[in-house]
């Protein structure tokens, strides 16, 4: 406990007054709305200014990696839904690609296009939730209801194609569980037409909102260099001005046949890499995903959706393989080790939220206490994934 | 540099080239590393993939493997210097992953895998090192790559590894009083925790 003198200037006067302040520790969480799950931040504050932050994780730890060693390759798939429960399709995809790499399987072309379509649809759903709840963190209640309205439509589409809304287990090693039912692709098409108009509503309601800009512009700035050294990926990295997107730079599936833009933060309202830029990148990524889905609908060939060699029991060749895919929150990596039996030896999951969250202990010191929720919310973590 | 697409799961050939280049550069700097490359083709030959692993196992041939090439660093004590070299000389500016691995309960060593990403050349590099289970000490690279901070804390509580020089070696995901190292293959599941029975 130390008394650190700091100097505040009284308005309109030129007299400097020494105001002694006292360091205090503040618990944010484990049950705090802005932690989006069960997570605890121990903040140290000197008056209104944060001097330190320590994250305490593990409240949702299930040791998914140990579970992976005790089930077989196919049985692990439902657990991937539950790391980042807002983007189950993307998680299924990352795991399936890694298993296929060990098996040397290349899935049929229609399955590749369908996978891209589903992954991008899930990205829009995830970003809608991220942007909506971020408004909620800052006290804007209305935008969430607008974004949830469209997210529900996407979840309805998922329910129709696989029976589940959040935990899909639809993309699986070897291809897909099923082909799209009759008329489903047309429903996607009509959703896209509606979505394009409604996107403008969130843009006006949240992103161009004066209060929102005041709360986020110039707050929580993360430089591109720091982002790279802290292993930050995804929209956070791009908001800091680093031009890196796995879909374009290390393309998997058919992403190299798609034409899309990678939005970057340019500091339009404040500085490059501030909270506003992160929200803007997520907003722009929704439009990029929209154009990708359109291209998938145009180019999708007919044909099989499952590789004939991938049965219910898989025995990948002995070896170790890493596959990273671009999830809504960043790079989701699966590092798998197989000894040729039906049980994995090691299922390592590199979770984007975990790596992105680690930068929070570096971002918060120096910020104002009132901005802590704004900064934490802009990272967009899912605690199911940080804790696994 | 253009990215070659050689499989639906990503540019594997690009990574293979990167690892070979890095191997030559690191060896030229005087470090002892070996290049480990898969000896199964990346794509399964027609009609061979389904039972390939099972057949090879029956034939007693377990040395063949499929997947990514990597660098093996036999002396874990050189880790910090090698990481500095990888970062400064080879331009791999991001440590994207760090994880432990226990291949079997009988294995004498634990493996630790480091994944590096070069954003400008769009390449990946995997470095693997081993630590004996009765020794468990290896240097921390958190000062070279701050991203290693949390990963090392996680590997430490899951495998009992001790990263010397780590700035904050507390438990991360597990409670402070958790006993045993869950991701070890010889881990025994607890009967109860804090008076709460297992089932």
């Amino acid at each position: 406990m130390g008394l650190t003198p700091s100097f505040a200037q009284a308005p309109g006067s030129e007299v400097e007054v020494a105001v002694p302040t006292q360091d205090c520790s503040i618990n944010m969480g484990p049950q705090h709305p802005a932690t989006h799950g069960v997570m605890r931040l121990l903040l140290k504050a000197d008056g209104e200014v944060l001097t330190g932050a320590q994250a305490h994780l593990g409240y949702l730890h299930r040791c998914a990696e140990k579970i992976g060693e005790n089930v077989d390759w196919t049985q692990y798939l439902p657990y991937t839904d539950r790391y980042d429960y807002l983007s189950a399709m993307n998680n299924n995809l990352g795991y399936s690609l890694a298993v296929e790499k060990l098996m040397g399987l290349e899935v049929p072309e229609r399955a590749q296009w369908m996978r891209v379509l589903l992954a991008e649809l899930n990205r829009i759903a995830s970003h809608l939730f991220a942007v909506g709840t971020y408004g909620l963190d800052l006290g804007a209640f209305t935008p969430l209801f607008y974004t949830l309205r469209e997210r529900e439509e996407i979840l309805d589409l998922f329910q129709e194609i696989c029976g589940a809304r959040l935990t899909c287990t639809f993309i699986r090693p070897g291809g897909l569980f099923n082909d799209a039912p009759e008329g489903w692709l047309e429903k996607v098409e009509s959703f896209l037409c509606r979505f394009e108009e409604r996107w403008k509503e969130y843009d006006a309601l949240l992103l161009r909102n004066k209060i929102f800009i005041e709360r986020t512009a110039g707050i929580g700035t993360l430089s591109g260099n720091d982002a790279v050294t802290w292993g930050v990926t995804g929209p956070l990295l791009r908001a800091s001005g680093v031009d890196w997107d796995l879909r374009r730079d290390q393309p998997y599936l058919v992403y190299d046949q798609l034409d899309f833009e990678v939005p970057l933060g340019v500091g339009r309202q404040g500085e490059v890499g501030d909270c506003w830029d992160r929200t803007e990148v997520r907003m722009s990524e929704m439009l990029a995903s929209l154009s990708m889905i359109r291209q998938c609908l145009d180019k999708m060939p007919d044909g099989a959706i499952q590789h004939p060699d991938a049965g219910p029991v898989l025995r990948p060749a002995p070896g170790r393989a890493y596959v990273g895919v671009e999830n809504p929150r960043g790079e989701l990596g699966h590092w798998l080790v197989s000894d040729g039996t039906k049980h994995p030896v090691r299922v390592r999951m590199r979770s984007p939220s975990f790596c992105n969250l680690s930068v929070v202990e570096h971002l918060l010191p120096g910020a104002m206490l009132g901005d802590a929720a704004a900064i934490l919310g802009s990272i967009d973590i899912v605690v199911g994934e940080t804790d696994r | 540099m253009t990215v070659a697409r050689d499989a639906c799961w990503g540019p594997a050939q690009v990574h293979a080239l990167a690892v070979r280049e890095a191997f030559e550069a690191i060896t030229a700097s005087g470090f002892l590393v070996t290049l480990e490359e898969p000896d199964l083709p990346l794509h399964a030959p027609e009609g061979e993939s389904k039972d390939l692993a099972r057949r090879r196992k029956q034939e007693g041939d377990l040395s063949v493997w499929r997947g990514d090439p990597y660098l093996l660093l036999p002396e874990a004590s050189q880790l910090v210097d090698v990481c500095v070299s990888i970062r400064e000389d080879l331009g791999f500016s991001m440590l994207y992953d760090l994880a432990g691995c226990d291949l079997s309960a009988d294995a004498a060593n634990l493996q630790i895998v480091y994944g590096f990403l070069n954003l400008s050349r769009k390449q990946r590099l995997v470095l693997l090192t081993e630590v004996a289970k009765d020794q468990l000490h290896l240097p921390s690279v958190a000062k070279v790559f701050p991203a290693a901070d949390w990963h090392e804390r996680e590997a430490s509580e899951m495998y009992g590894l001790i990263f010397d020089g780590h700035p904050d070696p507390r438990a991360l995901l597990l409670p402070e009083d958790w006993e045993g190292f869950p991701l070890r293959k010889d881990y025994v599941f607890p009967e109860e925790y804090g008076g709460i029975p297992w089932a």
Side-chain angles (χ1 to χ4, degrees), chain A residues 35-39 60 62 85 381-388:
Chain A
T35 57
H36 296 217
V38 194
M39 190 195 83
L60 292 187
R62 294 142 288 172
Y85 34 79
I381 54 162
V382 168
V383 178
E385 192 180 49
T386 59
D387 291 359
R388 282 158 287 153

Side-chain angles (χ1 to χ4, degrees), chain A residues 36-208:
Chain A
H36 296 217
V38 194
M39 190 195 83
R40 173 172 164 235
L41 277 180
L42 185 59
L43 304 174
K44 285 220 162 31
D46 175 13
E48 283 284 300
V49 181
L50 296 176
T51 54
Q54 217 176 52
H56 290 254
L57 309 180
Y59 292 91
L60 292 187
H61 181 62
R62 294 142 288 172
C63 216
E65 294 173 5
K66 187 72 176 177
I67 294 174
E69 295 170 11
N70 291 305
V71 294
D72 70 32
W73 292 94
T74 328
Q75 282 173 334
Y76 187 62
L77 195 63
Y79 290 98
T80 63
D81 291 330
R82 285 151 179 87
Y83 321 135
D84 175 356
Y85 34 79
L86 298 179
S87 48
M89 290 286 186
N90 303 67
N91 298 342
N92 294 165
L93 175 62
Y95 177 70
S96 301
L97 280 177
V99 176
E100 284 156 12
K101 185 174 185 175
L102 279 177
M103 298 182 70
L105 286 187
E106 187 123 23
V107 296
E109 217 182 331
R110 182 176 171 84
Q112 295 196 28
W113 287 94
M114 272 299 282
R115 283 174 167 198
V116 171
L117 187 149
L118 291 164
E120 293 309 317
L121 212 48
N122 208 154
R123 187 183 314 275
I124 294 181
S126 173
H127 280 348
L128 280 173
F129 200 69
V131 170
T133 51
Y134 188 43
L136 196 64
D137 288 346
L138 299 176
F141 217 84
T142 315
L144 180 66
F145 294 110
Y146 282 72
T147 56
L148 281 187
R149 181 185 59 192
E150 272 66 67
R151 180 169 172 268
E152 282 299 302
E153 289 198 35
I154 296 179
L155 297 187
D156 286 344
L157 286 169
F158 284 170
Q159 187 174 13
E160 192 177 339
I161 196 170
C162 68
R165 294 162 71 78
L166 288 174
T167 49
C168 301
T169 322
F170 187 67
I171 297 172
R172 50 186 61 188
L176 300 173
F177 175 61
N178 236 333
D179 208 339
E182 192 88 12
W184 188 83
L185 293 173
E186 288 73 30
K187 284 184 189 167
V188 173
E189 173 84 67
S190 79
F191 165 75
L192 295 181
C193 296
R194 284 197 299 283
F195 181 73
E196 208 162 17
E197 283 305 305
R198 290 176 175 180
W199 183 90
K200 293 173 190 150
E201 295 177 357
Y202 334 132
D203 193 54
L205 259 175
L206 194 69
L207 206 58
R208 313 287 157 190

Side-chain angles (χ1 to χ4, degrees), chain A residues 167-345:
Chain A
T167 49
C168 301
T169 322
F170 187 67
I171 297 172
R172 50 186 61 188
L176 300 173
F177 175 61
N178 236 333
D179 208 339
E182 192 88 12
W184 188 83
L185 293 173
E186 288 73 30
K187 284 184 189 167
V188 173
E189 173 84 67
S190 79
F191 165 75
L192 295 181
C193 296
R194 284 197 299 283
F195 181 73
E196 208 162 17
E197 283 305 305
R198 290 176 175 180
W199 183 90
K200 293 173 190 150
E201 295 177 357
Y202 334 132
D203 193 54
L205 259 175
L206 194 69
L207 206 58
R208 313 287 157 190
N209 183 315
K210 190 163 187 301
I211 306 169
F212 181 79
I213 294 172
E214 302 262 312
R215 285 295 311 270
T216 55
I219 303 292
T221 306
L222 177 66
S223 74
N225 222 351
D226 281 354
V228 171
T229 48
W230 285 88
V232 166
T233 48
L236 237 73
L237 182 66
R238 290 189 282 278
S240 297
V242 181
D243 197 2
W244 179 258
D245 189 323
L246 287 177
R247 292 171 291 172
R248 184 199 57 201
D249 296 321
Q250 298 196 334
Y252 47 95
L253 296 175
V254 288
Y255 277 111
D256 55 344
Q257 297 172 45
L258 297 177
D259 182 29
F260 61 97
E261 296 230 331
V262 177
L264 297 178
V266 288
R268 198 166 286 127
Q269 302 291 352
E271 300 159 9
V272 177
D274 60 12
C275 293
W276 192 85
D277 271 0
R278 289 176 206 145
T279 317
E280 199 216 9
V281 164
R282 289 194 184 101
M283 288 288 287
S284 313
E285 279 190 7
M286 285 189 224
L287 289 187
S289 297
L290 188 113
S291 112
M292 278 186 248
I293 298 172
R294 285 235 161 90
Q295 294 173 52
C296 286
L297 288 171
D298 285 345
K299 295 183 182 173
M300 194 177 300
D302 287 331
I305 44 105
Q306 180 79 17
H307 196 285
D309 279 358
V313 178
L314 304 174
R315 287 184 178 81
R320 47 186 85 222
Y322 178 89
V323 173
V325 296
E326 189 74 32
N327 251 31
R329 281 160 194 80
E331 177 179 339
L332 173 79
H334 279 93
W335 187 73
L336 306 178
V337 181
S338 167
D339 61 354
T341 60
K342 65 177 187 173
H343 297 286
V345 173

